[in-house]
Amino acid sequence: MRKVLISGCSGKMGRVIASVIDSREDCKTVAGVDLFTQPYGDFPIYKTFDQVEGDVDVIIDFSNPAALDGLLTYAVNKKVPVVVSTTGFTKEQIQQIHEAAEKIPVFFSFNMSLGINLLVELSKKAAQVLGGQFDIEIVEKHHNQKIDAPSGTAIMLADAINHTLNDQYRYVYDRHSQRKKRDKNEIGMHSVRGGTIVGEHEVIFAGRDEVITLSHSAFSKEVFAVGSVNAAMFLADKGPGLYQMSDLL
């Protein structure tokens, strides 16, 4: 029975993760960390990592980039594997995550959905086939409470495509500020925020007289929660290193 600590346990995703863990027999939530400490389950909630009592086997983080320092300090000092599923990190914070992975097991992904990670692989294959012949645009849609834009998943998709094409492309987020034709070597990134959209991503390859669209829609936050718990169980007995969804698959 793996003992799990949920970072960001009082948020919407944290609560779904706790529910998913509660339905399984191979793990149990033993603690949570969140600024909001009103209990809702049979585990204690601490305001900071410094206050956490007892041992844990793995951490699942679905919190806020501001919590990264405390999270990594605790994980490294206690030698606890951590699944980082939060988005909106700076380049410097991503570097911190990579440095922590030299000391402990770290599972880092911008999206924990199996379907999204399949979309990444399909997009890479399309980029290989279509090369520089098609313009590439990415459209992502999320609920009106999401703070970061573009989404971490959209960036993950763009990075995967760009690496496949030898990193020749630059990302364009805001075309209304410039009046000129679209450059050949760019990937357009567009964000929609509204209602209760859980998450939708489209990768558009637009060529001469034909358009190919690859898309994924999430209808529940549970797909991300299930993925993060599966990642935690996968990570619990691994050695130091940076792991991602392709390793789990």
Side-chain angles (χ1 to χ4, degrees):
M1 177 74 72
R2 303 291 187 184
K3 294 179 286 188
V4 183
L5 184 155
I6 304 174
S7 175
C9 62
S10 297
K12 292 180 180 178
M13 275 305 308
R15 290 173 182 267
V16 178
I17 290 170
S19 175
V20 170
I21 292 174
D22 192 50
S23 69
R24 297 176 59 137
E25 297 181 353
D26 58 349
C27 54
K28 176 179 177 60
T29 305
V30 297
V33 172
D34 203 291
L35 291 176
F36 302 97
T37 57
Q38 182 68 33
Y40 64 87
D42 60 353
F43 57 90
I45 301 176
Y46 304 96
K47 187 163 288 188
T48 66
F49 281 94
D50 292 338
Q51 301 171 342
V52 175
E53 298 178 358
D55 296 329
V56 300
D57 296 318
V58 64
I59 302 168
I60 299 176
D61 174 58
F62 248 114
S63 58
N64 186 286
L68 183 67
D69 286 345
L71 168 70
L72 293 182
T73 297
Y74 175 88
V76 170
N77 288 342
K78 298 289 187 179
K79 303 297 183 186
V80 180
V82 58
V83 177
V84 181
S85 303
T86 300
T87 61
F89 291 118
T90 64
K91 290 182 179 179
E92 291 74 19
Q93 287 178 312
I94 292 176
Q95 181 60 33
Q96 282 182 262
I97 294 170
H98 283 251
E99 291 172 358
E102 297 175 2
K103 304 172 183 176
I104 60 171
V106 177
F107 194 107
F108 180 46
S109 176
F110 287 117
N111 193 298
M112 303 302 296
S113 160
L114 176 63
I116 277 290
N117 285 275
L118 175 58
L119 177 62
V120 170
E121 296 304 316
L122 293 173
S123 298
K124 288 163 61 177
K125 180 62 177 178
Q128 289 173 354
V129 174
L130 303 176
Q133 305 173 59
F134 284 59
D135 296 325
I136 305 168
E137 300 282 305
I138 296 174
V139 181
E140 56 96 354
K141 305 174 185 177
H142 284 87
H143 54 85
N144 57 22
Q145 301 300 302
K146 186 171 178 61
I147 298 174
D148 56 311
S151 68
T153 301
I155 295 172
M156 179 174 71
L157 286 162
D159 286 347
I161 293 169
N162 200 15
H163 294 336
T164 300
L165 299 174
N166 300 315
D167 295 315
Q168 299 178 21
Y169 287 69
R170 65 186 183 91
Y171 305 158
V172 176
Y173 306 99
D174 185 13
R175 286 208 178 90
H176 86 276
S177 63
Q178 52 185 341
R179 294 181 61 81
K180 66 174 186 178
K181 292 182 179 179
R182 185 189 196 284
D183 290 336
K184 180 179 180 181
N185 291 337
E186 69 179 46
I187 297 176
M189 307 273 276
H190 312 277
S191 299
V192 176
R193 296 290 176 268
T196 58
I197 301 172
V198 174
E200 298 181 12
H201 293 84
E202 290 184 355
V203 183
I204 302 168
F205 293 88
R208 186 179 180 89
D209 298 328
E210 61 180 334
V211 176
I212 298 167
T213 302
L214 304 174
S215 66
H216 175 271
S217 297
F219 298 104
S220 164
K221 292 179 182 293
E222 189 161 323
V223 296
F224 311 120
V226 170
S228 68
V229 177
N230 286 338
M233 297 304 100
F234 163 84
L235 196 67
D237 59 356
K238 294 294 184 291
L242 190 66
Y243 300 87
Q244 53 191 355
M245 188 60 74
S246 59
D247 297 306
L248 175 59
L249 298 178

